[in-house]
Every structure is written in C-alpha cells, then in structure tokens.
C-alpha cells in the first residue's frame, strides 16, 4: 500500500521519497476546515432568520431574475454543503493527525544487544521525554 500523504511522490524532483512534514498538510486542512465549517453554519443560521424577517434579507439582483425565496434556499443548501465539507475535512485532518502522530518507545529494561535502552523509534523527542516523565521512574502512570 502506498503511504499517501506521508512520502513525497517520484514526480517531486528534489523531495522524492522523503517524508512529508506532519504539519505541511495539517495546517492548511485545519484552517480550511475551520473556514468552511464557520461559513456553512453561518449560512444555515442566516437563511431561516432572513426568511422570518428577524434580520434583513440580502439585496437581490432582479435583472438576473433572482427572488428572495430562491436566494434564501440557495443560502440554506449552500450552507449545508459548505458546512458538510468543512466538518468532513476536519474529520479527515483528525484522522491524518492520529495516523502520523509520533510514537515513543519506552523501555524499562535495557536492550541486551544494544547495551542501552532505545530512545524514540520515530517522532518528536520532546514529546517522548514528556511522556516518560509522566510515567514516573518505574514506568507506571
């Protein structure tokens, strides 16, 4: 299975085969998901309130044949689509974040063949030290 989003593909000349930095796809995904979700929720709330007259409705371009009910239905369904895409992207970013989370190796006994206990298998050394500090001296929580 190809590690999509974890290793740069062959066609990226100077980056081919290298690991993708974890935050490179996560930061744009989180920001885009946040924007789409907020925009979608705003439209879903705005459309019924404008239809009921609680807040002023949008100005219509009557030259194009726009009607108030059509514009508000478009806002409601468009908001549902934007909100759905935003929340789906948030779930996908959370999944990628969990799959690429650094893993720490915490051994309480030294490895005989190496002569020392292994440090981090891969990932963030600071996070691994913090996890070991929380465990205590015996390796228990």
């Amino acid at each position: 299975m190809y590690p999509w989003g974890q290793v740069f593909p062959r066609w990226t000349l100077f980056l081919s085969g290298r690991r993708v930095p974890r935050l490179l796809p996560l930061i744009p995904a989180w920001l885009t998901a946040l924007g789409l979700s907020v925009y979608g929720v705003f439209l879903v709330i705005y459309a019924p309130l404008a239809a009921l007259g609680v807040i002023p409705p949008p100005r219509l371009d009557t030259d194009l044949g726009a009607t108030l009910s059509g514009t508000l239905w478009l806002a409601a369904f468009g908001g549902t689509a934007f909100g759905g895409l935003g929340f789906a992207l948030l779930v996908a970013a959370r999944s990628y974040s969990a799959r690429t989370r650094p893993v720490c190796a915490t051994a309480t006994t030294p490895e005989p063949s190496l002569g020392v206990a292994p440090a981090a298998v891969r990932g963030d050394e600071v996070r691994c030290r913090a996890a070991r500090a929380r465990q205590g001296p015996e390796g228990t929580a």
Side-chain angles (χ1 to χ4, degrees):
M1 176 182 258
Y2 192 77
W4 291 101
Q6 296 179 8
V7 177
F8 283 105
R10 284 188 303 236
W11 56 267
T12 55
L13 297 177
F14 299 109
L15 299 173
S16 178
R18 294 185 184 177
R19 290 187 54 80
V20 173
R22 185 170 186 255
L23 293 179
L24 184 66
L26 282 177
I27 290 175
W30 286 332
L31 293 176
T32 305
L34 178 69
L36 285 174
S37 300
V38 168
Y39 184 60
V41 168
F42 170 77
L43 286 178
V44 167
I45 292 171
Y46 172 78
L49 292 178
L52 293 173
V54 176
I55 55 177
R59 286 184 280 130
L60 303 175
D61 190 0
T62 54
D63 295 339
L64 297 175
T67 62
L68 180 61
S69 63
T71 303
L72 293 178
W73 277 110
L74 178 69
F77 285 113
T80 304
F82 280 117
L85 284 172
F87 289 120
L89 185 57
L90 187 64
V91 169
R94 175 65 185 108
S95 172
Y96 182 84
S97 175
R99 282 188 298 121
T100 60
R101 176 176 227 135
V103 177
C104 299
T106 55
T108 56
T109 59
E111 182 68 34
S113 63
L114 298 175
V116 295
V121 173
R122 66 179 172 95
D124 189 7
E125 186 63 36
V126 174
R127 185 177 164 273
C128 293
R129 276 191 242 130
R132 285 192 291 268
R134 281 192 306 267
Q135 285 182 340
E138 294 86 27
T140 58

mmCIF file of all heavy atoms in Angstrom, residues 4-40:
data_model
loop_
_atom_site.group_PDB
_atom_site.id
_atom_site.type_symbol
_atom_site.label_atom_id
_atom_site.label_comp_id
_atom_site.label_asym_id
_atom_site.label_seq_id
_atom_site.Cartn_x
_atom_site.Cartn_y
_atom_site.Cartn_z
ATOM 1 N N TRP A 4 0.050 7.381 1.089
ATOM 2 C CA TRP A 4 -0.423 8.661 0.577
ATOM 3 C C TRP A 4 -0.335 9.730 1.648
ATOM 4 O O TRP A 4 -0.783 9.565 2.762
ATOM 5 C CB TRP A 4 -1.872 8.542 0.101
ATOM 6 C CG TRP A 4 -2.004 7.710 -1.118
ATOM 7 C CD1 TRP A 4 -2.400 6.417 -1.182
ATOM 8 C CD2 TRP A 4 -1.709 8.105 -2.452
ATOM 9 N NE1 TRP A 4 -2.387 5.975 -2.469
ATOM 10 C CE2 TRP A 4 -1.960 6.989 -3.272
ATOM 11 C CE3 TRP A 4 -1.261 9.274 -3.020
ATOM 12 C CZ2 TRP A 4 -1.782 7.035 -4.641
ATOM 13 C CZ3 TRP A 4 -1.093 9.308 -4.391
ATOM 14 C CH2 TRP A 4 -1.343 8.196 -5.180
ATOM 15 N N GLY A 5 0.265 10.856 1.297
ATOM 16 C CA GLY A 5 0.372 11.983 2.195
ATOM 17 C C GLY A 5 1.481 11.851 3.225
ATOM 18 O O GLY A 5 1.650 12.727 4.055
ATOM 19 N N GLN A 6 2.248 10.776 3.180
ATOM 20 C CA GLN A 6 3.312 10.588 4.153
ATOM 21 C C GLN A 6 4.698 10.599 3.514
ATOM 22 O O GLN A 6 5.678 10.858 4.191
ATOM 23 C CB GLN A 6 3.099 9.283 4.915
ATOM 24 C CG GLN A 6 1.831 9.306 5.742
ATOM 25 C CD GLN A 6 1.599 8.006 6.468
ATOM 26 O OE1 GLN A 6 2.452 7.121 6.475
ATOM 27 N NE2 GLN A 6 0.451 7.887 7.078
ATOM 28 N N VAL A 7 4.760 10.309 2.224
ATOM 29 C CA VAL A 7 6.022 10.313 1.480
ATOM 30 C C VAL A 7 5.787 11.082 0.183
ATOM 31 O O VAL A 7 4.773 10.894 -0.482
ATOM 32 C CB VAL A 7 6.481 8.866 1.169
ATOM 33 C CG1 VAL A 7 7.745 8.866 0.342
ATOM 34 C CG2 VAL A 7 6.684 8.083 2.440
ATOM 35 N N PHE A 8 6.733 11.955 -0.168
ATOM 36 C CA PHE A 8 6.601 12.701 -1.414
ATOM 37 C C PHE A 8 6.692 11.744 -2.602
ATOM 38 O O PHE A 8 7.512 10.819 -2.605
ATOM 39 C CB PHE A 8 7.706 13.763 -1.521
ATOM 40 C CG PHE A 8 7.465 14.970 -0.674
ATOM 41 C CD1 PHE A 8 8.181 15.166 0.492
ATOM 42 C CD2 PHE A 8 6.530 15.920 -1.049
ATOM 43 C CE1 PHE A 8 7.967 16.283 1.270
ATOM 44 C CE2 PHE A 8 6.304 17.043 -0.272
ATOM 45 C CZ PHE A 8 7.024 17.225 0.894
ATOM 46 N N PRO A 9 5.883 11.938 -3.649
ATOM 47 C CA PRO A 9 5.914 11.048 -4.819
ATOM 48 C C PRO A 9 7.151 11.256 -5.679
ATOM 49 O O PRO A 9 7.911 12.207 -5.488
ATOM 50 C CB PRO A 9 4.638 11.419 -5.572
ATOM 51 C CG PRO A 9 4.311 12.797 -5.134
ATOM 52 C CD PRO A 9 4.831 12.943 -3.737
ATOM 53 N N ARG A 10 7.331 10.371 -6.673
ATOM 54 C CA ARG A 10 8.514 10.421 -7.544
ATOM 55 C C ARG A 10 8.605 11.693 -8.357
ATOM 56 O O ARG A 10 9.687 12.167 -8.647
ATOM 57 C CB ARG A 10 8.497 9.230 -8.509
ATOM 58 C CG ARG A 10 8.877 7.945 -7.884
ATOM 59 C CD ARG A 10 9.015 6.903 -8.966
ATOM 60 N NE ARG A 10 7.759 6.813 -9.707
ATOM 61 C CZ ARG A 10 7.066 5.714 -9.865
ATOM 62 N NH1 ARG A 10 7.507 4.592 -9.371
ATOM 63 N NH2 ARG A 10 5.939 5.708 -10.528
ATOM 64 N N TRP A 11 7.454 12.260 -8.769
ATOM 65 C CA TRP A 11 7.487 13.410 -9.663
ATOM 66 C C TRP A 11 7.911 14.699 -8.966
ATOM 67 O O TRP A 11 8.100 15.712 -9.630
ATOM 68 C CB TRP A 11 6.156 13.586 -10.377
ATOM 69 C CG TRP A 11 4.962 13.714 -9.477
ATOM 70 C CD1 TRP A 11 4.150 12.697 -9.063
ATOM 71 C CD2 TRP A 11 4.465 14.907 -8.878
ATOM 72 N NE1 TRP A 11 3.177 13.184 -8.246
ATOM 73 C CE2 TRP A 11 3.344 14.545 -8.118
ATOM 74 C CE3 TRP A 11 4.854 16.235 -8.906
ATOM 75 C CZ2 TRP A 11 2.611 15.465 -7.396
ATOM 76 C CZ3 TRP A 11 4.117 17.153 -8.187
ATOM 77 C CH2 TRP A 11 3.011 16.773 -7.449
ATOM 78 N N THR A 12 8.056 14.709 -7.642
ATOM 79 C CA THR A 12 8.615 15.875 -6.958
ATOM 80 C C THR A 12 10.130 15.688 -6.934
ATOM 81 O O THR A 12 10.658 14.947 -6.113
ATOM 82 C CB THR A 12 8.053 16.017 -5.537
ATOM 83 O OG1 THR A 12 8.277 14.803 -4.836
ATOM 84 C CG2 THR A 12 6.571 16.332 -5.559
ATOM 85 N N LEU A 13 10.800 16.356 -7.839
ATOM 86 C CA LEU A 13 12.189 16.061 -8.154
ATOM 87 C C LEU A 13 13.119 16.025 -6.940
ATOM 88 O O LEU A 13 13.787 15.038 -6.701
ATOM 89 C CB LEU A 13 12.698 17.073 -9.177
ATOM 90 C CG LEU A 13 11.981 17.035 -10.521
ATOM 91 C CD1 LEU A 13 12.510 18.127 -11.431
ATOM 92 C CD2 LEU A 13 12.132 15.682 -11.167
ATOM 93 N N PHE A 14 13.187 17.092 -6.176
ATOM 94 C CA PHE A 14 14.164 17.152 -5.095
ATOM 95 C C PHE A 14 13.641 16.573 -3.788
ATOM 96 O O PHE A 14 14.399 16.373 -2.847
ATOM 97 C CB PHE A 14 14.621 18.596 -4.882
ATOM 98 C CG PHE A 14 15.275 19.176 -6.105
ATOM 99 C CD1 PHE A 14 14.639 20.147 -6.862
ATOM 100 C CD2 PHE A 14 16.514 18.722 -6.521
ATOM 101 C CE1 PHE A 14 15.227 20.662 -8.000
ATOM 102 C CE2 PHE A 14 17.123 19.227 -7.651
ATOM 103 C CZ PHE A 14 16.477 20.205 -8.399
ATOM 104 N N LEU A 15 12.353 16.309 -3.704
ATOM 105 C CA LEU A 15 11.755 15.800 -2.472
ATOM 106 C C LEU A 15 11.357 14.331 -2.574
ATOM 107 O O LEU A 15 10.890 13.753 -1.600
ATOM 108 C CB LEU A 15 10.513 16.632 -2.118
ATOM 109 C CG LEU A 15 10.755 18.108 -1.878
ATOM 110 C CD1 LEU A 15 9.437 18.831 -1.718
ATOM 111 C CD2 LEU A 15 11.627 18.302 -0.669
ATOM 112 N N SER A 16 11.534 13.739 -3.715
ATOM 113 C CA SER A 16 11.080 12.374 -3.978
ATOM 114 C C SER A 16 11.570 11.384 -2.934
ATOM 115 O O SER A 16 12.760 11.290 -2.644
ATOM 116 C CB SER A 16 11.570 11.940 -5.357
ATOM 117 O OG SER A 16 11.189 10.617 -5.610
ATOM 118 N N GLY A 17 10.626 10.647 -2.338
ATOM 119 C CA GLY A 17 10.953 9.604 -1.378
ATOM 120 C C GLY A 17 11.142 10.086 0.049
ATOM 121 O O GLY A 17 11.240 9.279 0.960
ATOM 122 N N ARG A 18 11.173 11.394 0.271
ATOM 123 C CA ARG A 18 11.334 11.911 1.633
ATOM 124 C C ARG A 18 9.986 11.961 2.343
ATOM 125 O O ARG A 18 8.935 12.032 1.712
ATOM 126 C CB ARG A 18 11.931 13.314 1.609
ATOM 127 C CG ARG A 18 13.342 13.327 1.095
ATOM 128 C CD ARG A 18 13.913 14.704 1.205
ATOM 129 N NE ARG A 18 15.245 14.740 0.628
ATOM 130 C CZ ARG A 18 15.974 15.808 0.530
ATOM 131 N NH1 ARG A 18 15.507 16.969 0.968
ATOM 132 N NH2 ARG A 18 17.167 15.761 0.003
ATOM 133 N N ARG A 19 10.039 11.947 3.673
ATOM 134 C CA ARG A 19 8.809 12.036 4.458
ATOM 135 C C ARG A 19 8.218 13.438 4.352
ATOM 136 O O ARG A 19 8.931 14.426 4.359
ATOM 137 C CB ARG A 19 9.071 11.713 5.924
ATOM 138 C CG ARG A 19 9.384 10.246 6.151
ATOM 139 C CD ARG A 19 9.485 9.909 7.615
ATOM 140 N NE ARG A 19 8.334 10.277 8.413
ATOM 141 C CZ ARG A 19 7.213 9.567 8.482
ATOM 142 N NH1 ARG A 19 7.095 8.459 7.802
ATOM 143 N NH2 ARG A 19 6.208 9.968 9.231
ATOM 144 N N VAL A 20 6.891 13.507 4.274
ATOM 145 C CA VAL A 20 6.194 14.786 4.279
ATOM 146 C C VAL A 20 6.161 15.280 5.722
ATOM 147 O O VAL A 20 5.757 14.535 6.618
ATOM 148 C CB VAL A 20 4.755 14.625 3.741
ATOM 149 C CG1 VAL A 20 3.970 15.910 3.892
ATOM 150 C CG2 VAL A 20 4.777 14.165 2.299
ATOM 151 N N PRO A 21 6.590 16.516 5.985
ATOM 152 C CA PRO A 21 6.484 17.033 7.352
ATOM 153 C C PRO A 21 5.025 16.996 7.807
ATOM 154 O O PRO A 21 4.116 17.337 7.058
ATOM 155 C CB PRO A 21 6.982 18.475 7.240
ATOM 156 C CG PRO A 21 7.804 18.505 6.006
ATOM 157 C CD PRO A 21 7.216 17.479 5.087
ATOM 158 N N ARG A 22 4.806 16.571 9.015
ATOM 159 C CA ARG A 22 3.461 16.316 9.532
ATOM 160 C C ARG A 22 2.544 17.534 9.430
ATOM 161 O O ARG A 22 1.367 17.421 9.089
ATOM 162 C CB ARG A 22 3.585 15.869 10.988
ATOM 163 C CG ARG A 22 2.304 15.469 11.624
ATOM 164 C CD ARG A 22 2.600 14.807 12.966
ATOM 165 N NE ARG A 22 1.385 14.294 13.523
ATOM 166 C CZ ARG A 22 0.743 14.871 14.526
ATOM 167 N NH1 ARG A 22 1.238 15.955 15.069
ATOM 168 N NH2 ARG A 22 -0.363 14.344 14.977
ATOM 169 N N LEU A 23 3.051 18.707 9.714
ATOM 170 C CA LEU A 23 2.213 19.901 9.723
ATOM 171 C C LEU A 23 1.985 20.497 8.338
ATOM 172 O O LEU A 23 1.123 21.364 8.186
ATOM 173 C CB LEU A 23 2.822 20.957 10.647
ATOM 174 C CG LEU A 23 2.830 20.580 12.122
ATOM 175 C CD1 LEU A 23 3.479 21.685 12.942
ATOM 176 C CD2 LEU A 23 1.430 20.294 12.621
ATOM 177 N N LEU A 24 2.718 20.037 7.319
ATOM 178 C CA LEU A 24 2.551 20.578 5.974
ATOM 179 C C LEU A 24 1.134 20.362 5.439
ATOM 180 O O LEU A 24 0.518 21.296 4.930
ATOM 181 C CB LEU A 24 3.599 19.986 5.021
ATOM 182 C CG LEU A 24 3.598 20.542 3.606
ATOM 183 C CD1 LEU A 24 4.001 22.007 3.613
ATOM 184 C CD2 LEU A 24 4.550 19.742 2.734
ATOM 185 N N PRO A 25 0.541 19.177 5.537
ATOM 186 C CA PRO A 25 -0.863 19.048 5.125
ATOM 187 C C PRO A 25 -1.856 19.397 6.236
ATOM 188 O O PRO A 25 -2.998 19.753 5.963
ATOM 189 C CB PRO A 25 -0.993 17.578 4.728
ATOM 190 C CG PRO A 25 0.074 16.883 5.470
ATOM 191 C CD PRO A 25 1.181 17.864 5.678
ATOM 192 N N LEU A 26 -1.435 19.302 7.496
ATOM 193 C CA LEU A 26 -2.393 19.503 8.588
ATOM 194 C C LEU A 26 -2.800 20.966 8.770
ATOM 195 O O LEU A 26 -3.987 21.246 8.979
ATOM 196 C CB LEU A 26 -1.819 18.965 9.902
ATOM 197 C CG LEU A 26 -1.884 17.462 10.076
ATOM 198 C CD1 LEU A 26 -1.234 17.038 11.379
ATOM 199 C CD2 LEU A 26 -3.317 16.983 10.021
ATOM 200 N N ILE A 27 -1.863 21.887 8.698
ATOM 201 C CA ILE A 27 -2.213 23.294 8.922
ATOM 202 C C ILE A 27 -3.190 23.813 7.863
ATOM 203 O O ILE A 27 -4.218 24.396 8.216
ATOM 204 C CB ILE A 27 -0.940 24.160 9.028
ATOM 205 C CG1 ILE A 27 -0.228 23.836 10.341
ATOM 206 C CG2 ILE A 27 -1.280 25.646 8.950
ATOM 207 C CD1 ILE A 27 1.096 24.533 10.526
ATOM 208 N N PRO A 28 -2.953 23.606 6.558
ATOM 209 C CA PRO A 28 -3.964 24.045 5.587
ATOM 210 C C PRO A 28 -5.303 23.317 5.757
ATOM 211 O O PRO A 28 -6.362 23.919 5.578
ATOM 212 C CB PRO A 28 -3.344 23.721 4.229
ATOM 213 C CG PRO A 28 -1.898 23.610 4.468
ATOM 214 C CD PRO A 28 -1.741 23.131 5.875
ATOM 215 N N ALA A 29 -5.261 22.036 6.114
ATOM 216 C CA ALA A 29 -6.517 21.300 6.295
ATOM 217 C C ALA A 29 -7.309 21.848 7.474
ATOM 218 O O ALA A 29 -8.528 22.038 7.377
ATOM 219 C CB ALA A 29 -6.227 19.811 6.501
ATOM 220 N N TRP A 30 -6.639 22.117 8.590
ATOM 221 C CA TRP A 30 -7.335 22.667 9.754
ATOM 222 C C TRP A 30 -7.907 24.056 9.455
ATOM 223 O O TRP A 30 -9.046 24.353 9.803
ATOM 224 C CB TRP A 30 -6.407 22.750 10.960
ATOM 225 C CG TRP A 30 -6.108 21.442 11.606
ATOM 226 C CD1 TRP A 30 -6.897 20.329 11.638
ATOM 227 C CD2 TRP A 30 -4.924 21.104 12.326
ATOM 228 N NE1 TRP A 30 -6.267 19.325 12.330
ATOM 229 C CE2 TRP A 30 -5.063 19.778 12.764
ATOM 230 C CE3 TRP A 30 -3.764 21.793 12.631
ATOM 231 C CZ2 TRP A 30 -4.085 19.128 13.500
ATOM 232 C CZ3 TRP A 30 -2.797 21.152 13.378
ATOM 233 C CH2 TRP A 30 -2.960 19.829 13.802
ATOM 234 N N LEU A 31 -7.112 24.910 8.813
ATOM 235 C CA LEU A 31 -7.581 26.261 8.516
ATOM 236 C C LEU A 31 -8.739 26.253 7.530
ATOM 237 O O LEU A 31 -9.727 26.978 7.700
ATOM 238 C CB LEU A 31 -6.428 27.119 7.991
ATOM 239 C CG LEU A 31 -5.318 27.421 8.995
ATOM 240 C CD1 LEU A 31 -4.185 28.186 8.326
ATOM 241 C CD2 LEU A 31 -5.863 28.198 10.172
ATOM 242 N N THR A 32 -8.649 25.428 6.495
ATOM 243 C CA THR A 32 -9.723 25.333 5.509
ATOM 244 C C THR A 32 -10.981 24.738 6.138
ATOM 245 O O THR A 32 -12.090 25.213 5.892
ATOM 246 C CB THR A 32 -9.276 24.497 4.305
ATOM 247 O OG1 THR A 32 -8.073 25.066 3.770
ATOM 248 C CG2 THR A 32 -10.337 24.460 3.226
ATOM 249 N N ALA A 33 -10.821 23.703 6.952
ATOM 250 C CA ALA A 33 -11.972 23.087 7.619
ATOM 251 C C ALA A 33 -12.653 24.081 8.544
ATOM 252 O O ALA A 33 -13.889 24.152 8.586
ATOM 253 C CB ALA A 33 -11.529 21.850 8.402
ATOM 254 N N LEU A 34 -11.880 24.857 9.256
ATOM 255 C CA LEU A 34 -12.454 25.863 10.150
ATOM 256 C C LEU A 34 -13.240 26.899 9.351
ATOM 257 O O LEU A 34 -14.379 27.227 9.695
ATOM 258 C CB LEU A 34 -11.342 26.532 10.959
ATOM 259 C CG LEU A 34 -11.795 27.636 11.903
ATOM 260 C CD1 LEU A 34 -12.609 27.048 13.042
ATOM 261 C CD2 LEU A 34 -10.606 28.402 12.419
ATOM 262 N N GLY A 35 -12.646 27.407 8.279
ATOM 263 C CA GLY A 35 -13.324 28.413 7.461
ATOM 264 C C GLY A 35 -14.596 27.900 6.826
ATOM 265 O O GLY A 35 -15.645 28.558 6.868
ATOM 266 N N LEU A 36 -14.542 26.712 6.227
ATOM 267 C CA LEU A 36 -15.729 26.144 5.593
ATOM 268 C C LEU A 36 -16.830 25.853 6.612
ATOM 269 O O LEU A 36 -18.011 26.093 6.347
ATOM 270 C CB LEU A 36 -15.368 24.860 4.846
ATOM 271 C CG LEU A 36 -14.623 25.012 3.534
ATOM 272 C CD1 LEU A 36 -14.207 23.650 2.998
ATOM 273 C CD2 LEU A 36 -15.475 25.728 2.510
ATOM 274 N N SER A 37 -16.454 25.336 7.764
ATOM 275 C CA SER A 37 -17.443 24.999 8.792
ATOM 276 C C SER A 37 -18.135 26.249 9.323
ATOM 277 O O SER A 37 -19.363 26.276 9.451
ATOM 278 C CB SER A 37 -16.786 24.244 9.947
ATOM 279 O OG SER A 37 -16.203 23.062 9.491
ATOM 280 N N VAL A 38 -17.365 27.281 9.633
ATOM 281 C CA VAL A 38 -17.950 28.523 10.152
ATOM 282 C C VAL A 38 -18.852 29.164 9.098
ATOM 283 O O VAL A 38 -19.968 29.601 9.404
ATOM 284 C CB VAL A 38 -16.835 29.489 10.607
ATOM 285 C CG1 VAL A 38 -17.378 30.879 10.884
ATOM 286 C CG2 VAL A 38 -16.149 28.936 11.840
ATOM 287 N N TYR A 39 -18.401 29.194 7.857
ATOM 288 C CA TYR A 39 -19.203 29.774 6.780
ATOM 289 C C TYR A 39 -20.498 28.991 6.578
ATOM 290 O O TYR A 39 -21.572 29.572 6.427
ATOM 291 C CB TYR A 39 -18.387 29.814 5.491
ATOM 292 C CG TYR A 39 -19.074 30.486 4.329
ATOM 293 C CD1 TYR A 39 -19.468 31.814 4.404
ATOM 294 C CD2 TYR A 39 -19.317 29.795 3.156
ATOM 295 C CE1 TYR A 39 -20.094 32.435 3.339
ATOM 296 C CE2 TYR A 39 -19.937 30.404 2.078
ATOM 297 C CZ TYR A 39 -20.328 31.726 2.180
ATOM 298 O OH TYR A 39 -20.948 32.339 1.123
ATOM 299 N N GLY A 40 -20.408 27.665 6.596
ATOM 300 C CA GLY A 40 -21.596 26.845 6.426
ATOM 301 C C GLY A 40 -22.588 27.017 7.556
ATOM 302 O O GLY A 40 -23.798 27.154 7.327
#
